[in-house]
Amino acid sequence: MKRPPPYVFVGATLFWGGLAAALLPNVLPSHLLYRTVVAAVSVVLFGVACGARRAGLLLAVGAISVAGVSALAFGLPEPAPAGVVLGCAALSGAALRSLYELRDVPATAPFLPLFRAFWAVTAISGVAGFVWLRTSYLLLRGVPPPRAVDALGGDAGPLAASILAIAASAGLAAGFYHAVRRLTRDARGRRAGDAALLVAALVPGLVALLQRLTLLPVLRAERWAAWDRSQATFTDPSAAGVAAGILVAPLLAIAATGSRTRRILAGLAVALVLLVLADAGSRAGLVAGLTSGGLFASWTLTRAVAGAQEGVRRRFAASLGALAVLATLAFAGALAWPANEGERPVLISRISALFEKGGTPGTGAPDRVLLYAAAAEMFRERPFWGVGLGVFRAEFPAQAARLSGTAPGFSDHPPSLYLGVLAESGIAGGLVLALLLAGLLPVLSRALTLPAPGRDPEDPLREAGAASALVGLLVVFLFGAHLVYPEIALLFGLLAARLPEPRDGVSSRLLHAAGPVVAAGAIGLATIGAVTRIVETATPREAFRFAPRAGVHTLERESSGRPFRWSSRHAAFLVAETGPGVLSLPVRNAGPSRETVTLSLFFDDVFRGAVRVPANGFRSIRLGIVGPGVLRVVVEPSFVPEGSGDSRSLGVETQEPTFERKRRE
């Protein structure tokens, strides 16, 4: 394969580095020390990846493995997707390293175009979702969050950060797939791939063990502590369980061959990931572990019975092995697929009852039914480009209320990756996901067939372990959208890179010929969807769909009991009343600097004047208007509270505006 020109590596370095820099302030909580530490670790990962490709991979995998729980270690109440920042920094360093490896022959990465197409559609759908959350009306006028986006009072700010993190996670899968394919071209590189999987298992496993021994504190979000579920070093218990489950088969493959040290470490890692799985209490992790472990065990036994020589014995063993694999998949599908009315299968329910003190919020049978039904309804309403990446969580309460007649008290990610892609990205996302699966499935099947006699025994083991893990993950995707987690996206890319080369058959040639056309059509369809969202949200009606204000924070009370809301630097209020009248907006300048602030007033984008408000001064701004319309207030200067961990950019205290209709003479 011909080496790409230097500008490709320079562009990749700048792209991944720029993406890491852009994600840092937008997906991480506004905690100065935490952001500083994540930035420092990102610089270290970039430098190590530049200097040593293998060491850079191991360090990146270890860092992403602990990133999910890192925010809790800094006293924050919820985990943060720091893994996407660290992963982008590591990929930037790896790209720069490739620039200087002049004699390096690029490795084949047959699924890279499919990964990139899926990422591209995901990113474009993310733009549509971001525009839906913020609305083009408010974006064009510079009005920041807060903005209510659902009936539960959810804010656009955290959901917008979640969209960025989910889109970046899809990029991590593509980036690490490519990076590991380049690394594992020779035996030494493949051993580095083994070491990366060992790191991904040993780091959280050792943390879980030390937590069991009470030598380390159990860091977890408060809602999981109430249900005695542990998340080890992952973003949440579900991610921890799935990661542990899919690592079982690759670790067993490593334990079956190689040096004594590597076999011992792999055996220890298997025990530790089972501990992580047990503490996580994850049904998805259980299904992933049973599927991947069962497939790999069936393949290993079939290989042992078949022997190395061709003949009747080998054909008979291969037939039995195929039946065992099909039986394992059927059993896994039965465990994964919801029963009548969305209930858990009886076996899972009875096993769960032994360990759980009660159901986790949002996972009961009626709730699961609502999640599936709402996703299907969203796809029916917007079949071509969906509602937008990450918008399911915001749209679900309203959809569920229409379907059930009662507003739910929760929201969640889509109940299935496949259904979630259709609901959020429509046919555009479904096409590229189908392309990716069409490329992976024949190779997974090949990796789980008996190897040809004379091959290096380590390679078929690696391939079968990776294939078993990926099949387990694909089964889990039936009832979970776990690709939203950076650590799961990383493992997806690592495992896909260990699969064998596709055979040059009819299906491969058809995919190679039709794939670019289908991907281009899907990207075009997703782009139309994003443009449609921009047009749809350009009106005040969409901007103030759930609340008559934007850029105004939650209700607070002074010591005297007076209610107020802090405004951002730029705030907007919807005036629904019609006809001429006087609009009154009470404000107070309560900033700590005791400076006089200036409020610039706009009504329906027409400048109506400016008002100066002294420190601690009250004003009731009165403005003659003809409603309906939108009042916008721009505060200069704004301030950030000091020493409280509050990073909001605040303007003035406000109360609800009132409208006094003009009396007819």
Side-chain angles (χ1 to χ4, degrees):
M1 180 180 290
K2 185 178 178 181
R3 176 181 169 82
Y7 66 80
V8 172
F9 300 111
V10 174
T13 301
L14 295 176
F15 172 79
W16 289 113
L19 185 57
L23 290 171
L24 180 68
N26 288 297
V27 304
L28 298 186
S30 300
H31 189 287
L32 181 59
L33 179 59
Y34 180 57
R35 286 186 176 181
T36 303
V37 171
V38 172
V41 175
S42 299
V43 172
V44 171
L45 290 176
F46 174 83
V48 174
C50 286
R53 188 187 295 273
R54 295 176 181 84
L57 174 64
L58 299 183
L59 190 60
V61 171
I64 296 173
S65 297
V66 301
V69 79
S70 58
L72 302 178
F74 285 81
L76 295 165
E78 291 291 331
V84 295
V85 180
L86 302 178
C88 290
L91 291 173
S92 178
L96 185 59
R97 167 81 180 184
S98 300
L99 176 64
Y100 295 101
E101 293 179 341
L102 300 179
R103 297 182 180 179
D104 183 46
V105 178
T108 57
F111 304 132
L112 185 59
L114 303 180
F115 271 103
R116 286 176 171 170
F118 180 71
W119 184 22
V121 172
T122 300
I124 297 171
S125 181
V127 172
F130 183 84
V131 170
W132 185 90
L133 291 174
R134 295 286 304 276
T135 74
S136 56
Y137 180 87
L138 296 176
L139 284 170
L140 290 174
R141 289 158 179 81
V143 180
R147 174 188 173 256
V149 294
D150 58 40
L152 301 178
D155 179 26
L159 287 176
S162 175
I163 289 174
L164 293 175
I166 294 171
S169 294
L172 284 191
F176 275 96
Y177 168 75
H178 190 204
V180 175
R181 287 293 296 188
R182 289 181 61 86
L183 181 64
T184 56
R185 290 165 298 175
D186 53 24
R188 186 182 176 193
R190 288 190 285 273
R191 287 193 293 271
D194 293 342
L197 290 174
L198 287 173
V199 169
L202 288 172
V203 170
L206 288 173
V207 169
L209 177 62
L210 293 175
Q211 289 175 340
R212 273 289 188 98
L213 298 174
T214 68
L215 298 177
L216 280 179
V218 179
L219 298 176
R220 53 189 173 186
E222 185 176 343
R223 64 184 183 279
W224 301 123
W227 300 96
D228 290 336
R229 296 182 64 181
S230 174
Q231 57 194 79
T233 61
F234 294 92
T235 304
D236 75 5
S238 187
V242 170
I246 63 176
L247 281 170
V248 169
L251 293 174
L252 290 174
I254 297 171
T257 186
S259 66
R260 178 181 298 179
T261 301
R262 190 169 56 173
R263 292 199 301 269
I264 292 173
L265 288 176
L268 175 63
V270 171
L272 290 176
V273 296
L274 292 177
L275 175 62
V276 172
L277 176 57
D279 287 348
S282 170
R283 179 174 71 103
L286 176 62
V287 172
L290 290 175
T291 305
S292 62
L295 283 177
F296 185 73
S298 300
W299 180 87
T300 305
L301 291 174
T302 303
R303 183 187 181 197
V305 172
Q309 301 298 323
E310 294 287 351
V312 175
R313 174 186 173 186
R314 185 177 175 87
R315 290 194 295 272
F316 180 72
S319 300
L320 287 180
L323 290 175
V325 168
L326 290 175
T328 303
L329 290 175
F331 182 62
L335 292 180
W337 198 261
N340 294 333
E341 298 184 354
E343 296 179 358
R344 293 179 176 184
V346 175
L347 177 59
I348 289 292
S349 298
R350 297 191 69 179
I351 292 175
S352 300
L354 297 176
F355 302 100
E356 296 180 0
K357 60 189 290 186
T360 303
T363 60
D367 297 336
R368 298 292 297 180
V369 171
L370 277 179
L371 288 168
Y372 281 100
E377 186 67 15
M378 290 180 202
F379 174 64
R380 189 190 66 80
E381 292 178 356
R382 290 179 171 269
F384 295 107
W385 41 74
V387 296
L389 183 70
V391 174
F392 180 89
R393 293 172 64 187
E395 285 276 25
F396 170 73
Q399 284 283 2
R402 286 196 292 270
L403 292 170
S404 66
T406 304
F410 75 100
S411 188
D412 204 347
H413 291 293
S416 161
L417 175 71
Y418 310 114
L419 190 55
V421 167
L422 290 174
E424 295 189 335
S425 302
I427 293 174
L431 284 174
V432 290
L433 181 59
L435 276 179
L436 182 58
L437 294 177
L440 284 175
L441 290 177
V443 180
L444 293 175
S445 175
R446 180 187 172 194
L448 291 172
T449 56
L450 292 178
R455 285 192 68 191
D456 183 348
E458 289 192 9
D459 290 339
L461 279 168
R462 288 193 183 96
E463 294 166 0
S468 300
L470 284 174
V471 171
L473 190 58
L474 295 178
V475 170
V476 167
F477 286 162
L478 286 170
F479 61 97
H482 294 81
L483 204 59
V484 301
Y485 301 114
E487 50 268 51
I488 302 300
L490 166 69
L491 291 176
F492 189 27
L494 286 178
L495 294 168
R498 294 165 70 85
L499 295 176
E501 294 282 340
R503 285 177 176 164
D504 186 17
V506 175
S507 60
S508 177
R509 290 194 294 270
L510 181 63
L511 186 65
H512 182 75
V517 177
V518 176
I523 291 172
L525 200 59
T527 303
I528 295 173
V531 173
T532 302
R533 275 299 194 193
I534 293 173
V535 175
E536 289 176 343
T537 60
T539 63
R541 178 181 178 182
E542 284 297 316
F544 301 98
R545 178 180 171 190
F546 293 101
R549 69 191 73 85
V552 182
H553 295 276
T554 56
L555 187 67
E556 301 179 41
R557 290 186 182 274
E558 293 184 341
S559 57
S560 62
R562 187 182 73 91
F564 72 93
R565 296 176 187 267
W566 279 110
S567 77
S568 300
R569 178 184 174 274
H570 198 159
F573 302 88
L574 176 68
V575 180
E577 290 81 358
T578 60
V582 177
L583 182 68
S584 298
L585 177 66
V587 299
R588 179 189 176 214
N589 175 10
S593 65
R594 304 188 65 81
E595 293 183 48
T596 298
V597 299
T598 301
L599 277 60
S600 299
L601 306 176
F602 299 82
F603 189 78
D604 279 351
D605 298 330
V606 177
F607 179 65
R608 298 293 302 274
V611 177
R612 292 174 60 83
V613 183
N616 289 320
F618 289 90
R619 290 286 187 277
S620 181
I621 300 174
R622 296 174 61 83
L623 192 67
I625 63 168
V626 177
V630 176
L631 172 68
R632 289 190 293 117
V633 181
V634 181
V635 184
E636 287 288 352
S638 58
F639 70 96
V640 176
E642 297 180 358
S644 62
D646 187 350
S647 63
R648 296 177 298 173
S649 178
L650 303 179
V652 294
E653 293 181 2
T654 67
Q655 292 180 316
E656 293 299 323
T658 58
F659 180 79
E660 182 182 349
R661 195 179 306 277
K662 187 176 180 180
R663 297 179 181 178
R664 295 182 179 180
E665 296 181 357

